[in-house]
Amino acid sequence: MLFKQIICFFCTIIFATVSYSSPGISDLALKQFGFTAAIGYTGYQNMHQPDGQTPLLRLALIKPLSITKKYNAGLELGVQTGNTMTLNLPQNTVDAIGGLNVQTVMKPLVDVLVYISAPINNSTFDLILKGGTAYRSWQLLDRCSGLSRFDGEVQAGVGYRANQTIQVSVLYQGIYGASPHFVANIAQDTCSVSNIPIQQGVLLNFTYSV
Protein backbone atom coordinates (compact mmCIF):
# COMPACT_ATOMS: atom_id res chain seq x y z
CA MET A 1 0.00 0.00 0.00
CA LEU A 2 1.07 3.60 -0.64
CA PHE A 3 1.23 4.69 3.00
CA LYS A 4 3.49 1.72 3.85
CA GLN A 5 5.89 2.82 1.12
CA ILE A 6 5.86 6.35 2.54
CA ILE A 7 6.65 5.06 6.04
CA CYS A 8 9.53 2.97 4.69
CA PHE A 9 10.90 6.06 2.90
CA PHE A 10 10.84 8.13 6.08
CA CYS A 11 12.36 5.32 8.18
CA THR A 12 15.21 4.93 5.66
CA ILE A 13 16.03 8.63 5.84
CA ILE A 14 15.90 8.63 9.64
CA PHE A 15 18.15 5.57 9.85
CA ALA A 16 20.68 7.18 7.55
CA THR A 17 20.53 10.45 9.46
CA VAL A 18 21.05 8.75 12.83
CA SER A 19 23.87 6.61 11.46
CA TYR A 20 25.87 9.57 10.17
CA SER A 21 25.17 12.09 12.92
CA SER A 22 27.88 12.77 15.50
CA PRO A 23 27.56 11.38 19.06
CA GLY A 24 27.11 14.86 20.52
CA ILE A 25 24.23 15.66 18.22
CA SER A 26 22.58 12.29 18.91
CA ASP A 27 22.83 12.93 22.65
CA LEU A 28 21.13 16.28 22.14
CA ALA A 29 18.23 14.65 20.29
CA LEU A 30 17.70 12.13 23.09
CA LYS A 31 17.32 14.93 25.64
CA GLN A 32 14.77 16.95 23.66
CA PHE A 33 11.03 16.76 23.12
CA GLY A 34 8.37 19.15 21.89
CA PHE A 35 4.69 19.94 21.61
CA THR A 36 2.58 20.97 18.64
CA ALA A 37 -0.79 22.70 18.70
CA ALA A 38 -2.62 23.21 15.41
CA ILE A 39 -5.81 24.74 14.16
CA GLY A 40 -7.08 23.97 10.70
CA TYR A 41 -9.88 23.09 8.34
CA THR A 42 -10.65 19.67 6.92
CA GLY A 43 -13.13 18.08 4.54
CA TYR A 44 -14.53 14.56 4.33
CA GLN A 45 -15.47 13.10 0.96
CA ASN A 46 -18.90 11.56 0.29
CA MET A 47 -20.64 13.75 2.87
CA HIS A 48 -23.46 16.24 2.55
CA GLN A 49 -22.04 19.74 2.35
CA PRO A 50 -21.36 21.89 4.22
CA ASP A 51 -21.36 19.58 7.28
CA GLY A 52 -18.62 17.44 5.68
CA GLN A 53 -16.26 20.39 6.14
CA THR A 54 -15.24 21.51 9.61
CA PRO A 55 -12.62 23.39 11.64
CA LEU A 56 -10.27 21.18 13.64
CA LEU A 57 -7.91 21.23 16.59
CA ARG A 58 -4.83 19.01 16.80
CA LEU A 59 -2.37 18.40 19.66
CA ALA A 60 0.80 16.31 19.41
CA LEU A 61 3.87 15.24 21.38
CA ILE A 62 7.14 15.27 19.41
CA LYS A 63 10.23 13.17 20.16
CA PRO A 64 13.34 13.95 18.07
CA LEU A 65 15.46 10.96 17.06
CA SER A 66 18.18 12.82 15.21
CA ILE A 67 19.28 16.45 14.96
CA THR A 68 21.88 17.46 12.36
CA LYS A 69 22.71 20.55 10.34
CA LYS A 70 20.96 19.06 7.31
CA TYR A 71 17.98 17.18 8.77
CA ASN A 72 15.84 16.88 11.87
CA ALA A 73 13.91 13.64 12.23
CA GLY A 74 11.75 11.98 14.83
CA LEU A 75 8.35 10.67 15.90
CA GLU A 76 5.05 12.43 16.57
CA LEU A 77 2.05 11.15 18.56
CA GLY A 78 -1.10 13.22 18.07
CA VAL A 79 -4.82 13.53 18.70
CA GLN A 80 -7.27 15.44 16.51
CA THR A 81 -10.92 16.45 16.77
CA GLY A 82 -13.61 14.71 14.76
CA ASN A 83 -16.91 15.82 13.24
CA THR A 84 -20.66 15.16 13.10
CA MET A 85 -21.94 14.93 9.52
CA THR A 86 -24.49 13.39 7.17
CA LEU A 87 -23.63 10.61 4.74
CA ASN A 88 -24.34 11.52 1.12
CA LEU A 89 -26.53 8.72 -0.29
CA PRO A 90 -28.61 8.39 -3.48
CA GLN A 91 -32.22 9.41 -2.95
CA ASN A 92 -33.53 5.91 -3.75
CA THR A 93 -31.34 4.49 -0.96
CA VAL A 94 -32.59 7.14 1.47
CA ASP A 95 -36.21 6.29 0.50
CA ALA A 96 -35.56 2.56 0.99
CA ILE A 97 -34.37 3.06 4.58
CA GLY A 98 -37.31 5.22 5.59
CA GLY A 99 -36.61 8.59 4.02
CA LEU A 100 -34.18 9.80 6.70
CA ASN A 101 -30.59 10.76 6.05
CA VAL A 102 -27.92 8.74 7.86
CA GLN A 103 -26.27 10.83 10.59
CA THR A 104 -22.67 9.94 11.43
CA VAL A 105 -20.02 10.87 13.99
CA MET A 106 -16.29 10.76 13.24
CA LYS A 107 -14.72 10.41 16.67
CA PRO A 108 -11.39 12.10 17.54
CA LEU A 109 -8.49 10.30 15.86
CA VAL A 110 -5.12 9.20 17.20
CA ASP A 111 -2.09 9.08 14.89
CA VAL A 112 1.59 8.17 14.91
CA LEU A 113 3.81 9.93 12.39
CA VAL A 114 7.46 9.83 11.36
CA TYR A 115 8.68 13.30 10.45
CA ILE A 116 11.68 14.86 8.77
CA SER A 117 12.45 18.54 8.25
CA ALA A 118 15.26 20.22 6.35
CA PRO A 119 16.22 23.90 6.00
CA ILE A 120 15.62 25.49 2.61
CA ASN A 121 18.92 26.95 1.32
CA ASN A 122 20.27 27.32 4.88
CA SER A 123 17.46 29.74 5.73
CA THR A 124 15.06 29.85 8.68
CA PHE A 125 12.42 28.17 6.51
CA ASP A 126 12.09 24.37 6.61
CA LEU A 127 10.59 21.81 4.28
CA ILE A 128 8.52 19.42 6.43
CA LEU A 129 7.33 15.92 5.53
CA LYS A 130 5.41 13.52 7.77
CA GLY A 131 4.03 10.06 7.17
CA GLY A 132 2.37 7.42 9.30
CA THR A 133 -0.98 5.98 10.29
CA ALA A 134 -4.17 7.33 11.87
CA TYR A 135 -6.67 5.31 13.90
CA ARG A 136 -10.19 6.52 13.10
CA SER A 137 -13.55 5.43 14.46
CA TRP A 138 -16.67 6.28 12.48
CA GLN A 139 -20.04 5.81 14.16
CA LEU A 140 -23.30 5.68 12.22
CA LEU A 141 -26.26 6.69 14.34
CA ASP A 142 -29.61 4.91 14.80
CA ARG A 143 -29.67 1.33 13.51
CA CYS A 144 -26.41 1.37 11.53
CA SER A 145 -23.18 -0.24 12.69
CA GLY A 146 -19.94 1.78 12.67
CA LEU A 147 -16.37 1.06 11.67
CA SER A 148 -12.88 1.55 13.18
CA ARG A 149 -9.61 1.11 11.32
CA PHE A 150 -6.07 2.32 10.66
CA ASP A 151 -5.53 4.48 7.56
CA GLY A 152 -2.41 6.01 6.07
CA GLU A 153 -1.70 9.69 6.73
CA VAL A 154 0.60 12.24 5.07
CA GLN A 155 1.42 15.82 6.04
CA ALA A 156 3.63 18.15 4.00
CA GLY A 157 4.41 21.85 4.03
CA VAL A 158 6.73 24.68 5.00
CA GLY A 159 7.73 25.91 8.45
CA TYR A 160 9.35 29.09 9.77
CA ARG A 161 11.75 28.89 12.74
CA ALA A 162 11.25 32.04 14.82
CA ASN A 163 14.05 30.87 17.15
CA GLN A 164 15.57 27.65 18.49
CA THR A 165 12.39 26.65 20.35
CA ILE A 166 9.44 28.01 18.33
CA GLN A 167 8.34 27.09 14.81
CA VAL A 168 5.23 28.06 12.85
CA SER A 169 4.26 25.89 9.88
CA VAL A 170 1.51 25.45 7.31
CA LEU A 171 0.85 21.84 6.31
CA TYR A 172 -1.40 19.90 3.98
CA GLN A 173 -2.96 16.87 5.70
CA GLY A 174 -4.32 13.87 3.84
CA ILE A 175 -5.76 10.75 5.48
CA TYR A 176 -6.36 7.91 3.10
CA GLY A 177 -9.65 6.03 2.97
CA ALA A 178 -12.20 5.08 0.34
CA SER A 179 -15.72 5.82 -0.75
CA PRO A 180 -18.05 4.39 1.95
CA HIS A 181 -19.83 1.28 0.70
CA PHE A 182 -23.24 1.58 2.35
CA VAL A 183 -25.29 -1.61 2.70
CA ALA A 184 -28.86 -1.62 4.00
CA ASN A 185 -30.65 -4.77 5.13
CA ILE A 186 -34.30 -3.76 4.81
CA ALA A 187 -35.63 -7.06 6.18
CA GLN A 188 -33.63 -6.78 9.41
CA ASP A 189 -33.80 -2.97 9.54
CA THR A 190 -29.99 -2.63 9.81
CA CYS A 191 -27.24 -1.01 7.79
CA SER A 192 -23.44 -0.85 7.68
CA VAL A 193 -20.46 0.67 5.83
CA SER A 194 -17.20 -0.98 4.75
CA ASN A 195 -14.93 2.08 4.30
CA ILE A 196 -14.09 5.35 6.09
CA PRO A 197 -14.04 8.41 3.80
CA ILE A 198 -10.92 10.23 2.63
CA GLN A 199 -10.08 13.31 4.68
CA GLN A 200 -8.07 16.30 3.40
CA GLY A 201 -7.29 19.63 5.02
CA VAL A 202 -4.85 22.37 5.97
CA LEU A 203 -3.12 22.81 9.36
CA LEU A 204 -1.57 25.88 10.95
CA ASN A 205 0.98 24.44 13.41
CA PHE A 206 2.66 26.05 16.38
CA THR A 207 5.57 23.93 17.67
CA TYR A 208 7.50 24.45 20.90
CA SER A 209 10.66 22.43 21.57
CA VAL A 210 12.43 22.05 24.93
Side-chain angles (χ1 to χ4, degrees), residues 9-142:
F9 168 75
F10 281 109
C11 289
T12 300
I13 292 178
I14 289 177
F15 176 78
T17 304
V18 172
S19 298
Y20 290 100
S21 60
S22 67
I25 294 177
S26 297
D27 292 342
L28 176 62
L30 293 175
K31 296 177 182 179
Q32 288 191 339
F33 63 93
F35 302 93
T36 291
I39 57 175
Y41 199 78
T42 192
Y44 299 84
Q45 294 186 5
N46 307 108
M47 297 294 127
H48 273 293
Q49 302 303 328
D51 61 347
Q53 299 177 344
T54 181
L56 65 85
L57 174 65
R58 173 181 169 79
L59 300 173
L61 175 66
I62 298 172
K63 182 63 184 109
L65 297 180
S66 181
I67 300 175
T68 73
K69 294 181 179 180
K70 293 184 177 181
Y71 300 100
N72 290 345
L75 297 175
E76 179 175 311
L77 174 64
V79 293
Q80 183 171 306
T81 55
N83 188 34
T84 299
M85 50 198 174
T86 303
L87 183 60
N88 189 13
L89 295 172
Q91 188 58 46
N92 60 340
T93 302
V94 174
D95 294 339
I97 60 176
L100 297 176
N101 290 319
V102 177
Q103 300 295 317
T104 74
V105 175
M106 186 72 71
K107 296 183 178 180
L109 65 83
V110 177
D111 59 10
V112 178
L113 304 175
V114 178
Y115 74 83
I116 184 168
S117 65
I120 301 174
N121 294 327
N122 296 319
S123 69
T124 56
F125 290 91
D126 292 337
L127 178 64
I128 302 171
L129 296 174
K130 304 179 183 181
T133 185
Y135 180 76
R136 298 190 293 172
S137 182
W138 192 29
Q139 179 181 356
L140 279 68
L141 305 184
D142 301 325

Side-chain angles (χ1 to χ4, degrees), residues 55 157 183:
V183 177

Side-chain angles (χ1 to χ4, degrees), residues 1-4 6-7 113 131-136 149-154 174-177 199:
M1 296 177 65
L2 177 60
F3 84 92
K4 290 183 178 179
I6 294 172
I7 292 175
L113 304 175
T133 185
Y135 180 76
R136 298 190 293 172
R149 61 180 296 169
F150 289 95
D151 289 309
E153 178 180 354
V154 171
I175 302 179
Y176 294 96
Q199 179 179 343

